[in-house]
Amino acid sequence: MCLDDASVGAPLTSYPELPSLLETLSDALLFLDTTATIQYVNRRAAAMFGASKHELLGTSLWQSAPHLVSTALYQAVTTAIHTQESLEITYCSPITQGWLRVQLSPTNGGVLAFFREGKEPVRLYDALYKSEQRYRSLLESFTDGIVILTPEGLILDINQRPLLVAQARQEEVIGRPMVEFPSWRSAPLAQDQLRAAIEQARRGETVHFEVRLYPQAESYRDLAFVMTPHCDAEQRIEYLTCVGLNITEWKQAEEEWRTLLDIIPHFVWAMYPDGSTHYRNQRWRDYTATTAEQDQGNDSWSRWIHPDDRQRVLDTWQAAVHAGTSYEVEHRLLEVETCAYRWYLTRGTPRRDQQGTIRQWVGTCTDVDDLKKAEIALYQSQERARTLMDSNIIGIFISRDNEIIEANSTFLRMTGYSQEDLRQGKMGWFRMTHPDFLARTQQARQELAQHQTLIPYEKEYVCKDGSRLPVLVGGVALPFDPSQNLCFVLDNSARKELELRKENFLSMASHELKTPLTAIKMRLQLARTRLLKQGFGEAAATLLRAEEPVQLLDRLIGELLDVSKIQAGRLDYLREPVDIEALVYEIAETIQLMSTNHTIVVHGSAPCTLIGDKGRLEQVLINLISNAITYSPDATTVDIDLDATTEAVTIGVRDYGIGIPQGQRGKIFERFYRAFDLSQRAIPGLGMGLSIAQEIVQHHGGTITVESEVGSGSTFRVTLPLKRSNPLCNDLI
C-alpha cells in the first residue's frame, strides 16, 4: 500500500482531515510496511531526511536515511514489526552524532515511527550516553574492519578502518548493500563470495571466507572474513556481524612458500578437519591432472588412492583426527598421465591455534615407489630363499672359510649331523670331505674365491657315522660378504648307484656277447675259406658280406668294454715305440680297401716316433676316419693331414659332409652322445667312439679338437707330444 498526502493506511482513509493534521506535527512521522519500506512521510520527516516526499516514498528506510540508521534503530523497527508491540528508543546517530528519540507504534500492515531530535543527555540519559560512547570506542578500537549488516546484507554500522582504506565516508555506505562497498565493486568474484556468505549466515551459519579486494587500482588487499549471525529471544536472525582481517602480508609470504612448495618433488597439502581441501601444491595437480577448483570436496583426495588401499588410508586419517595426533601411512596413488599407480608415504600433522583447537592438517606425500618395489622384491627373494632353505630335496649351507655356520634341515639329515653339532662348530667344509676329493675341493674353493661362483662338481662327504655320501656341489659367494659362501648340495648316491649298475651291466653284457661273437666270426671265416677252396666263389662272397655287420657288432662290443674299463679306471695301455707316419698310412690303406665310395688321401709327412700304445692310437685313427666316411655320404674324399715339429705331431682328419652344429660341438666327446638330426637317424653307432678316443689321446698327453661348419664338413685334429713325462714311461723321451 502506497500512501499520498490524502491517506495514511486504512485507518487514515476514514479521516480525510488526518493527513493535513499530521503535516502540522513537530515530530517527523513515517509509516513503514513490514519490509521497512517508506509508505508515508510528513514534511518534518522529509526535512530531517534531506529529500522530497516523492523521492522517499517506496524506498527502504535504511537506504533513504543513512545518517539516521543505527543498529539500535534497526533492532527496534524489526522487533516492533514482528511483535506488533509499541517501542521507544533513544540513540545517537553514528554519522551526525545527534541524539534521536523514536516511538514505534504498530498499525495494520506496518508501523508508525515518530522521530524527535534531542539534546545532549543529562541525568536520565547519562548512562545511555556513556553506553553509546563505550560502544563506539569499542567499535573503533578494533584494528580489523567491522561491519554490522541486516540479514539482507545492508550496512547498519561500520568502523573507520575499512572506510579509510576505501576512502569513503560513513554516510555514503550506511544503509547500502555491503556488496556495493567501494572496495568490492572491482572484485566480482569477491562479491559472489560475499553474497554466498550472507546467504549462509541468514540460515544461522558462521561463515569463514577469504577474498582479494582492490581498494586502489594499483594495489590489492587479501582479507579473511568471519560472518556471524545474531539472534533475538525467539531465535530470529536480528543482524549479522562481519569482521575482516588484513592477511595481505601473510598471503604474500604464503605465495612465496607456495612457489617453493610447487617445485619440490613431494606433494604438499593442507586440509581442514572435515577433510576438505585447503591447499595442494603444483606437483600434486600435475600428477592428478586437476585444477585447484576441481580439487575440492571432503573426499576429493581419496579418489586417487588405489581401491585396495583406500579404506585403510581413510581409517588411518579418521583415527588421527579423532586422537589429534600425527600419522603416516603407505599407499598407492594414480598417476593420470601413465594410468599407473605408484607407492607414496603420506605423513600428516595437526596445526592448532592458541586455544589448542585443530584448525588445519598439513602434510606431505613422498614417492617411495622404487623403495617399495625393492622391498617387495627383497621380500619375494627372502621368501624364495626361505622356500629353498626349507626344501627337502636340496641341502643348503652357508660357510665362512672352512666352517659351516648355517645349514638347512635337509643337509643335516643327509650328513647325519644335528643343529647342536652345527652350533658347536663340528661341521666343516674340508673336515667332512673324503680324502680322495680333497684336491678337487681345494680347487673348487679357489674357483669360488676367484669367480664368486662355483660350477657344480662331484665329490663325497664323510657323514657323522663315517659313511660316504656321493654329492653334487655348487655354490656362490654372497655379494654383501664375499667371505661367506652359499652352497647347494644334491644327494648323488642314487645316480652313482645307477651308474655302477649300468657299468656292471655293460661290462657283463659285453663279456657275455664277446665270446659267442668271436665264435661266429671264426666259423664264418672258416666256412668262407672252405667255400673258396671248393670253388664256390659266389657263396664265399655272400659270407664275406655277412662278416661286415659282425665286424661292426664286434667293434661296438669292444667300445662298450673300453667304456666300462675307462669308467672303472682299468683301461690297459702298452708302452712301445710308434711310428706315427707309418701307422697313418697303414690305417688309411686298410680302410680304403673296405670303402669303395671315398678316396682317402694323406697329405704331408711326420717322420717321428713316440712312446705309446700303438693299438690304442690305431683305435683313435680308425674311429676318426670311419666317422669321416660315415658322416659325409655325399662326398667322395677324406683328407688326412700330417704335420710334425720338434715338440709334437698333429694328425688332421677332414671330411666334406654334413658338419656339426655349433651348439653340439661341446658335447660330442661325451659318452653316448650323438650329434644328429632326424635325417641322420639311420647312421649306426652308440656315441662312444669319440669319448674313447679323447680318453686315449689325453692319456698320451695330447689333445683332440674339432672345427666344423654345417653343410661344409668337419676337421678333427689330434696333437700328441713327442717329448714329455709320459705316464707310460718314467723317462723323458
Side-chain angles (χ1 to χ4, degrees):
M1 175 179 69
C2 183
L3 302 178
D4 54 20
D5 291 342
S7 62
V8 185
L12 302 183
T13 57
S14 302
Y15 304 95
E17 70 279 6
L18 186 57
S20 299
L21 180 62
L22 295 178
E23 292 296 330
T24 66
L25 293 177
S26 60
D27 291 336
L29 173 64
L30 298 91
F31 177 72
L32 308 173
D33 66 12
T34 56
T35 64
T37 300
I38 299 173
Q39 302 297 326
Y40 172 80
V41 59
N42 68 359
R43 281 194 294 270
R44 177 62 181 150
M48 181 181 289
F49 285 13
S52 68
K53 294 168 62 176
H54 178 72
E55 292 172 337
L56 294 172
L57 291 177
T59 62
S60 170
L61 171 64
W62 319 118
Q63 293 178 310
S64 301
H67 57 291
L68 303 180
V69 174
S70 74
T71 305
L73 176 63
Y74 177 80
Q75 287 179 284
V77 171
T78 304
T79 301
I81 291 173
H82 284 96
T83 64
Q84 288 294 291
E85 295 179 0
S86 297
L87 292 174
E88 182 177 328
I89 64 166
T90 301
Y91 72 97
C92 179
S93 168
I95 296 176
T96 65
Q97 298 298 307
W99 284 85
L100 295 168
R101 184 178 181 181
V102 182
Q103 290 178 319
L104 300 169
S105 300
T107 67
N108 182 22
V111 65
L112 287 172
F114 295 89
F115 285 80
R116 182 178 300 161
E117 293 181 330
K119 298 181 181 179
E120 294 230 353
V122 295
R123 300 190 187 100
L124 297 177
Y125 298 132
D126 241 7
L128 182 61
Y129 175 76
K130 290 178 181 178
S131 176
E132 183 69 22
Q133 287 299 105
R134 283 195 296 269
Y135 165 75
R136 296 308 308 177
S137 298
L138 179 63
L139 198 65
E140 297 300 340
S141 67
F142 283 94
T143 57
D144 305 326
I146 299 179
V147 185
I148 299 175
L149 306 171
T150 70
E152 295 76 27
L154 301 180
I155 298 175
L156 295 175
D157 205 349
I158 186 170
N159 68 350
Q160 289 296 313
R161 184 71 177 177
L163 293 172
L164 292 173
V165 173
Q167 298 181 356
R169 299 194 306 274
Q170 200 170 30
E171 59 268 24
E172 294 174 341
V173 298
I174 295 293
R176 309 287 300 175
M178 186 174 173
V179 293
E180 296 180 6
F181 193 83
S183 300
W184 295 78
R185 292 173 188 165
S186 58
L189 180 60
Q191 286 180 313
D192 292 340
Q193 291 178 266
L194 178 58
R195 290 188 185 97
I198 292 172
E199 189 61 32
Q200 286 182 262
R202 289 182 65 180
R203 297 196 296 266
E205 302 177 34
T206 298
V207 186
H208 298 262
F209 64 102
E210 295 179 4
V211 297
R212 175 167 289 183
L213 300 178
Y214 296 84
Q216 287 83 36
E218 68 279 0
S219 64
Y220 67 86
R221 289 165 62 85
D222 288 308
L223 301 173
F225 284 94
V226 180
M227 187 172 291
T228 308
H230 296 267
C231 303
D232 60 15
E234 297 179 3
Q235 297 303 308
R236 289 192 301 267
I237 304 298
E238 278 193 305
Y239 61 91
L240 312 174
T241 58
C242 186
V243 180
L245 174 64
N246 184 2
I247 57 172
T248 306
E249 292 184 1
W250 181 83
K251 292 292 285 186
Q252 289 174 346
E254 184 184 64
E255 288 297 326
E256 293 176 359
W257 274 105
R258 289 190 179 189
T259 301
L260 176 62
L261 295 177
D262 282 342
I263 62 175
I264 66 175
H266 307 271
F267 302 150
V268 182
W269 53 266
M271 290 193 300
Y272 294 112
D274 64 358
S276 58
T277 299
H278 174 62
Y279 168 73
R280 304 275 179 186
N281 69 345
Q282 188 62 43
R283 296 284 293 188
W284 167 268
R285 292 196 292 274
D286 291 342
Y287 188 85
T288 58
T290 56
T291 63
E293 291 73 21
Q294 293 171 329
D295 195 17
Q296 298 297 325
N298 288 5
D299 62 347
S300 61
W301 52 276
S302 65
R303 69 179 184 270
W304 306 107
I305 300 175
H306 193 287
D308 294 346
D309 303 335
R310 192 171 297 152
Q311 191 58 50
R312 176 171 53 84
V313 174
L314 290 175
D315 290 345
T316 303
W317 154 254
Q318 290 166 1
V321 170
H322 179 74
T325 56
S326 299
Y327 75 97
E328 66 177 47
V329 61
E330 288 184 349
H331 56 86
R332 288 160 288 181
L333 285 172
L334 177 64
E335 184 177 18
V336 173
E337 183 178 352
T338 62
C339 295
Y341 284 93
R342 294 183 65 83
W343 280 96
Y344 279 82
L345 172 63
T346 294
R347 292 188 176 98
T349 189
R351 291 181 61 186
R352 305 174 187 270
D353 59 19
Q354 294 180 346
Q355 288 73 39
T357 303
I358 296 176
R359 296 300 183 189
Q360 275 188 346
W361 286 79
V362 296
T364 60
C365 299
T366 304
D367 189 332
V368 294
D369 193 68
D370 293 339
L371 178 61
K372 193 68 176 180
K373 289 178 179 176
E375 288 179 356
I376 293 173
L378 177 60
Y379 173 78
Q380 293 173 343
S381 177
Q382 290 173 336
E383 285 300 303
R384 287 193 293 267
R386 186 174 295 108
T387 301
L388 188 61
M389 287 292 287
D390 294 339
S391 168
N392 58 5
I393 299 176
I394 301 176
I396 300 173
F397 67 82
I398 297 175
S399 67
R400 181 185 291 115
D401 297 327
N402 180 42
E403 295 299 321
I404 294 177
I405 59 176
E406 189 175 347
N408 70 346
S409 57
T410 302
F411 183 74
L412 296 175
R413 175 176 50 79
M414 290 166 58
T415 56
Y417 286 90
S418 65
Q419 285 287 349
E420 184 62 27
D421 296 327
L422 183 63
R423 283 191 293 269
Q424 293 179 3
K426 294 181 179 180
M427 300 179 68
W429 220 22
F430 285 92
R431 288 199 302 273
M432 295 172 60
T433 299
H434 191 274
D436 293 348
F437 296 91
L438 283 175
R440 180 65 183 92
T441 301
Q442 181 63 40
Q443 180 185 352
R445 183 176 178 180
Q446 294 172 352
E447 178 184 338
L448 189 56
Q450 182 177 359
H451 302 291
Q452 309 299 303
T453 185
L454 176 62
I455 298 174
Y457 70 101
E458 294 182 4
K459 64 178 290 184
E460 288 185 3
Y461 280 124
V462 179
C463 299
K464 186 177 181 180
D465 61 3
S467 61
R468 298 171 65 171
L469 175 69
V471 293
L472 185 68
V473 180
V476 293
L478 296 179
F480 55 85
D481 186 358
S483 67
Q484 293 188 17
N485 303 315
L486 178 66
C487 295
F488 306 92
V489 182
L490 187 64
D491 188 339
N492 209 24
S493 55
R495 189 175 71 86
K496 283 293 185 181
E497 183 179 355
L498 183 62
E499 285 185 355
L500 179 60
R501 290 180 180 179
K502 181 187 69 175
E503 298 300 338
N504 290 338
F505 170 77
L506 290 176
S507 178
M508 179 183 66
S510 299
H511 280 288
E512 292 298 324
L513 291 172
K514 191 75 171 175
T515 301
L517 186 61
T518 302
I520 292 172
K521 285 175 60 179
M522 292 178 62
R523 288 192 174 98
L524 284 174
Q525 291 174 355
L526 179 60
R528 182 165 56 84
T529 301
R530 289 179 177 176
L531 287 172
L532 285 174
K533 289 182 178 179
Q534 295 174 5
F536 298 102
E538 185 177 351
T542 301
L543 287 178
L544 180 62
R545 287 193 296 272
E547 288 183 26
E548 292 180 1
V550 173
Q551 290 175 349
L552 175 60
L553 183 58
D554 183 55
R555 175 184 170 189
L556 292 177
I557 293 173
E559 289 179 347
L560 281 174
L561 281 172
D562 287 343
V563 167
S564 298
K565 292 177 181 179
I566 291 172
Q567 190 69 18
R570 298 195 301 269
L571 188 62
D572 297 326
Y573 291 91
L574 297 176
R575 189 183 66 184
E576 56 185 337
V578 180
D579 185 334
I580 293 298
E581 184 174 338
L583 180 62
V584 169
Y585 275 100
E586 178 184 338
I587 294 171
E589 290 175 2
T590 301
I591 295 177
Q592 184 67 77
L593 293 174
M594 295 185 294
S595 175
T596 59
N597 296 326
H598 292 75
T599 301
I600 302 172
V601 181
V602 180
H603 305 276
S605 63
C608 57
T609 300
L610 58 80
I611 299 298
D613 188 321
K614 180 180 178 182
R616 294 298 182 189
L617 293 176
E618 182 181 75
Q619 186 177 351
V620 171
L621 295 175
I622 290 174
N623 180 275
L624 294 180
I625 298 172
S626 298
N627 284 350
I629 293 172
T630 301
Y631 287 96
S632 59
D634 298 328
T636 59
T637 304
V638 172
D639 290 321
I640 301 176
D641 295 315
L642 285 173
D643 184 43
T645 66
T646 57
E647 302 294 330
V649 59
T650 300
I651 308 161
V653 179
R654 176 177 177 78
D655 66 67
Y656 301 91
I658 58 179
I660 304 170
Q662 176 69 35
Q664 298 181 3
R665 292 174 201 167
K667 302 177 181 179
I668 59 175
F669 293 104
E670 297 178 7
R671 278 178 295 165
F672 305 110
Y673 183 84
R674 300 186 64 211
F676 66 89
D677 55 31
L678 292 177
S679 64
Q680 303 167 29
R681 289 184 183 271
I683 298 176
L686 297 178
M688 296 182 292
L690 289 177
S691 173
I692 297 171
Q694 184 182 54
E695 164 65 25
I696 294 171
V697 170
Q698 289 178 348
H699 190 85
H700 284 78
T703 59
I704 180 171
T705 61
V706 61
E707 297 174 4
S708 184
E709 184 177 347
V710 175
S712 300
S714 304
T715 300
F716 285 83
R717 285 190 175 84
V718 175
T719 301
L720 299 169
L722 298 177
K723 296 180 180 180
R724 65 187 185 93
S725 179
N726 197 314
L728 301 175
C729 180
N730 293 328
D731 300 328
L732 280 176
I733 302 300

